Amino acid sequence: MNALSPQELITRAPVWEALAEFWLDTKLADADFDHIARVIAASPYSLAEVRAIHDYEVAPAVSVNLMSIAGAWAGFDDEWLHARCRKYAALHGSWWYRAATWARLPVFRLFTADCWRQVVPRVKSLRGKLDVDT
């Protein structure tokens, strides 16, 4: 298991928080997508890296929210979210964790497909160029 450095944790935290919004039990508005896109565009990560952060760190941490009768709709507690995402980030290099998560990727992507369709063009526009790694 590889723990993220203190600097990586600082850099990742706002991305985790933004991507976790995909999993709230509420419909996101244009302003929400704009905010998420601004956070991603300001990060040092490519869109492919952001997608991996979502798929292997954020989605496993918060996807259970959509299965809960009383899921979070206003937002996740930052400390809770950071702890869960750190846990999954540390597991990310493990072959068994990647295999287990890979099996769930179709479900993660089904639930967030519309969010990605909304956010990716906004990120590209904010960055002022086309990322080829969407």
Side-chain angles (χ1 to χ4, degrees):
M1 294 197 302
N2 298 333
L4 296 173
S5 72
Q7 183 57 46
E8 289 171 315
L9 291 172
I10 291 167
T11 304
R12 277 276 216 289
V15 175
W16 287 336
E17 293 165 15
L19 294 173
E21 291 185 39
F22 288 178
W23 293 93
L24 293 175
D25 195 12
T26 187
K27 184 164 176 54
L28 297 177
D30 282 339
D32 300 314
F33 292 124
D34 290 342
H35 166 74
I36 295 165
R38 282 193 304 275
V39 171
I40 293 169
S43 80
Y45 306 112
S46 69
L47 284 171
E49 290 169 318
V50 170
R51 189 59 180 248
I53 290 167
H54 171 267
D55 290 348
Y56 291 96
E57 298 170 21
V58 177
V62 299
S63 59
V64 297
N65 188 59
L66 293 183
M67 293 179 237
S68 171
I69 292 173
W73 55 272
F76 297 99
D77 175 74
D78 288 346
E79 286 183 37
W80 176 87
L81 177 66
H82 296 175
R84 301 261 308 169
C85 289
R86 274 194 312 271
K87 170 187 161 186
Y88 289 110
L91 293 171
H92 186 86
S94 159
W95 69 267
W96 61 266
Y97 172 71
R98 288 183 65 82
T101 302
W102 182 82
R104 295 182 295 177
L105 285 179
V107 174
F108 295 161
R109 291 183 176 177
L110 174 68
F111 278 109
T112 61
D114 185 58
C115 294
W116 287 108
R117 279 192 292 275
Q118 296 290 327
V119 167
V120 168
R122 287 171 163 91
V123 172
K124 289 178 178 179
S125 176
L126 288 167
R127 287 186 171 168
K129 63 177 193 267
L130 289 179
D131 283 330
V132 295
D133 58 357
T134 58

